[in-house]
Amino acid sequence: MDKGLPFTICVVTTLLLLRESSQAGEEEDPERLAAPTSGLGIDSRGQREGLPTLTVTTILEDPYVMVRGAELEGYCMDLLGALAEMLRFQYRVKVVGDGQYGAVAAGGNWTGMIGEILRKEADIAVAPLTVTSAREEVVSFTTPFLQTGIGILLRKDTVSQEMSFFHFLSPFSKETWTGLLFAYLLTCCCLFLVARLSPCEWNEPKNEENHFTFLNSLWFGAGALALQGVTPRPQALSVRVVAVVWWLFTLALLAAYIANFTALLSSGSEQLPIQTFEDLVKQRNLEFGTLEGSSTFYFFKNSKNPIHQMIYEYMEKRREHVLVKTYQEAVQRVMDSNYAFIGESISQDLAAARHCNLIRAPEVIGARGFGIATTQASPWTKPLSIAVLKLRELGDLDYLRNKWWESSCLRRSRDRWSPLEPPALGGLFLALGVGLALGVLAALAELSNSSRLTAGHAKKSCCSVFIEEICTRLRIKEKARPSQETSGKANA
């Protein structure tokens, strides 16, 4: 009994020491450490017993994958985490060794992330990797998780041009200016008509002279547009209704013009002469290029479009000077020199959001998508595609897009200036039309009331007097001229 107790103590002590040694060895396992050093980041997450482990290759590009401290973060890392949670796998992430996306080298071998998948150095590639036919021949792609195209990234001050001579007309569209001119002429005609019909404005049409002639009516309407009071001043209620409605219309119109003109001067959206790739080819002030060995470069190489062929020939002749190695180098070169970068439009939107002096040209060509690359015989291709579709249906992909692309510059770029179209001022024109109709009805009511009183005194029909008054007021010059000639003959 006394000899068995020390033996038992020795066995227990030995077992405890062995257990501590194994735990220390597990903690020092380098594959469990996130160690982004010397341009190579390894990030292991979701370690769970019994789950398969995938080696994921990616590339450092903001905002898809970025180094933050000892870990990697970004759009692709969040996407990868959501896929791992949905499909129940664990993963190790490493940054591609040569910093390339994937292209065929001179010897026929593939570089970048595509090459690592072919060499079985990685199981999948989760990165802004464009799905192309050449890559699809050697690897498999899932359903695209982001849609993009090819755009032009420019610096605002390198593409600005002088304002046109008639730049002050830009706040309103051509249709709006046409509507404004029509409204002005219609209002002046209504003012002239109402002033002639109203007995309060013109009591004795045979003896008096109406102050609201057609020229005076035009002058009165123009004065209201300039916010100036001009003579003659209206006296009848009907004429005042027309005048007040026109004044209110001009006040609202001038407020809209001033606000939109201020927005125009601050936006500079009309000062971008390079709108399309054809404009880029025709100009001589900016150099332009793309990422060396990228899918964008091969898109222009294989395109049959004459404009695209001219772009490819330009880049091929100046290959050493205009092609860039990384996306960060491209953005920095656009900011520092007269250089236009041709690349993925969705990445250019981010650059324009982060750097407020950059802007993307409106035209986007070559619609394509970013997909997850796997080996052709991989059993993960279909499950990953289905998982991407589920994330899109649940709105998770839109959430990630807004999360990593949102910034103050992006919000300002969304508020693009545009000239005011007639529908935007439709209520204003409608109010003017209703006001003019009320003015005409008020003038007819005033004339009808006066005709009824005249008919009572002269013992005539009210309708006949009303028609006679209208004819007299609208044809006063024809009536006055024969009477003047008759009086002249009598005096002779």
Side-chain angles (χ1 to χ4, degrees):
M1 185 106 177
D2 293 336
K3 294 181 180 179
L5 182 61
F7 177 78
T8 304
I9 295 175
C10 290
V11 172
V12 172
T13 304
T14 302
L15 293 174
L16 291 175
L17 291 175
L18 290 174
R19 183 179 179 182
E20 292 177 359
S21 175
S22 63
Q23 289 180 350
E26 290 179 358
E27 292 176 355
E28 294 175 357
D29 187 1
E31 292 186 355
R32 288 183 171 270
L33 297 178
T37 57
S38 302
L40 179 62
I42 300 176
D43 194 352
S44 301
R45 303 187 188 182
Q47 297 290 344
R48 299 176 185 176
E49 296 181 359
L51 296 181
T53 301
L54 298 181
T55 301
V56 182
T57 180
T58 188
I59 192 170
L60 294 178
E61 182 176 332
D62 187 11
Y64 303 99
V65 180
M66 301 170 289
V67 178
R68 291 293 183 270
E71 293 185 349
L72 300 176
E73 69 173 17
Y75 178 94
C76 289
M77 297 304 299
D78 288 352
L79 174 63
L80 183 59
L83 294 174
E85 186 70 23
M86 184 175 293
L87 299 178
R88 298 191 61 78
F89 65 84
Q90 52 190 5
Y91 55 89
R92 296 175 60 254
V93 181
K94 69 186 190 68
V95 178
V96 60
D98 58 4
Q100 300 294 321
Y101 290 87
V104 181
N109 298 323
W110 281 82
T111 62
M113 293 177 284
I114 302 296
E116 290 189 351
I117 291 179
L118 294 176
R119 294 189 298 269
K120 302 298 179 64
E121 298 175 7
D123 297 309
I124 62 175
V126 182
L129 190 61
T130 306
V131 180
T132 64
S133 58
R135 292 171 179 171
E136 190 75 49
E137 291 179 355
V138 295
V139 299
S140 295
F141 281 97
T142 65
T143 301
F145 57 86
L146 267 181
Q147 297 294 334
T148 181
I150 300 176
I152 308 171
L153 185 65
L154 307 158
R155 195 173 77 246
K156 291 181 179 179
D157 57 357
T158 60
V159 296
S160 62
Q161 63 180 4
E162 295 182 358
M163 295 183 181
S164 62
F165 190 72
F166 295 98
H167 197 62
F168 68 94
L169 297 176
S170 299
F172 291 160
S173 64
K174 296 179 180 179
E175 293 79 8
T176 304
W177 284 115
T178 304
L180 175 59
L181 178 61
F182 179 76
Y184 168 71
L185 294 177
L186 179 63
T187 303
C188 293
C189 291
C190 286
L191 192 65
F192 170 73
L193 177 64
V194 169
R196 281 186 169 269
L197 292 178
S198 176
C200 300
E201 192 71 40
W202 198 16
N203 291 326
E204 296 292 336
K206 294 183 179 181
N207 301 324
E208 296 180 358
E209 181 180 355
N210 191 291
H211 296 291
F212 275 95
T213 62
F214 187 70
L215 291 179
N216 286 345
S217 300
L218 292 175
W219 179 245
F220 185 90
L225 280 174
L227 300 181
Q228 299 293 324
V230 295
T231 56
R233 296 182 179 180
Q235 298 178 2
L237 176 63
S238 56
V239 181
R240 290 180 179 180
V241 168
V242 175
V244 168
V245 170
W246 177 244
W247 285 336
L248 294 176
F249 176 83
T250 56
L251 280 174
L253 196 71
L254 288 174
Y257 176 87
I258 293 172
N260 212 33
F261 191 62
T262 304
L264 167 64
L265 295 179
S266 60
S267 67
S269 60
E270 291 297 309
Q271 305 176 39
L272 189 64
I274 299 178
Q275 303 281 339
T276 64
F277 284 87
E278 184 177 359
D279 296 335
L280 183 64
V281 172
K282 290 180 179 180
Q283 59 82 38
R284 294 294 180 267
N285 297 326
L286 297 179
E287 296 178 329
F288 53 88
T290 186
L291 290 174
E292 185 177 4
S294 64
S295 60
T296 301
F297 179 81
Y298 289 102
F299 170 83
F300 288 100
K301 180 180 179 180
N302 301 325
S303 176
K304 302 301 181 183
N305 188 300
I307 300 297
H308 300 170
Q309 279 295 309
M310 293 174 64
I311 294 176
Y312 168 72
E313 293 173 1
Y314 174 90
M315 293 190 297
E316 182 64 26
K317 291 179 181 178
R318 300 165 178 81
R319 188 184 190 94
E320 299 296 330
H321 189 58
V322 300
L323 297 184
V324 293
K325 302 294 184 182
T326 64
Y327 176 77
Q328 290 77 12
E329 178 187 352
V331 174
Q332 192 63 40
R333 186 168 177 181
V334 173
M335 296 177 62
D336 297 339
S337 62
N338 291 336
Y339 181 77
F341 173 61
I342 302 174
E344 302 293 345
S345 60
I346 193 169
S347 300
Q348 293 175 349
D349 288 338
L350 178 69
R354 300 288 174 83
H355 308 282
C356 297
N357 62 331
L358 300 182
I359 188 172
R360 179 176 62 81
E363 186 181 31
V364 176
I365 61 175
R368 72 262 308 268
F370 292 154
I372 300 174
T374 66
T375 58
Q376 289 186 333
S378 175
W380 290 98
T381 305
K382 187 172 182 179
L384 286 171
S385 293
I386 296 175
V388 169
L389 290 175
K390 288 182 178 180
L391 291 176
R392 178 177 291 120
E393 293 170 356
L394 295 173
D396 293 345
L397 295 184
D398 292 333
Y399 168 76
L400 293 179
R401 172 72 166 80
N402 295 331
K403 173 184 176 182
W404 291 103
W405 267 257
E406 188 66 20
S407 75
S408 58
C409 289
L410 183 61
R411 285 193 294 268
R412 287 196 298 270
S413 66
R414 287 174 181 167
D415 301 329
R416 297 193 181 275
W417 174 90
S418 60
L420 285 178
E421 299 289 342
L425 301 173
L428 196 59
F429 283 95
L430 178 62
L432 177 64
V434 172
L436 296 181
L438 290 177
V440 173
L441 291 177
L444 293 176
E446 292 173 350
L447 183 59
S448 176
N449 186 43
S450 176
S451 300
R452 189 172 60 252
L453 295 176
T454 303
H457 292 298
K459 296 181 180 181
K460 294 182 179 180
S461 172
C462 182
C463 291
S464 61
V465 174
F466 181 77
I467 295 174
E468 182 181 352
E469 286 287 337
I470 289 180
C471 295
T472 304
R473 293 173 185 278
L474 296 181
R475 300 176 182 177
I476 185 62
K477 291 185 178 180
E478 297 179 4
K479 296 287 184 178
R481 185 175 302 170
S483 60
Q484 289 177 0
E485 291 178 358
T486 303
S487 61
K489 290 180 180 180
N491 292 333

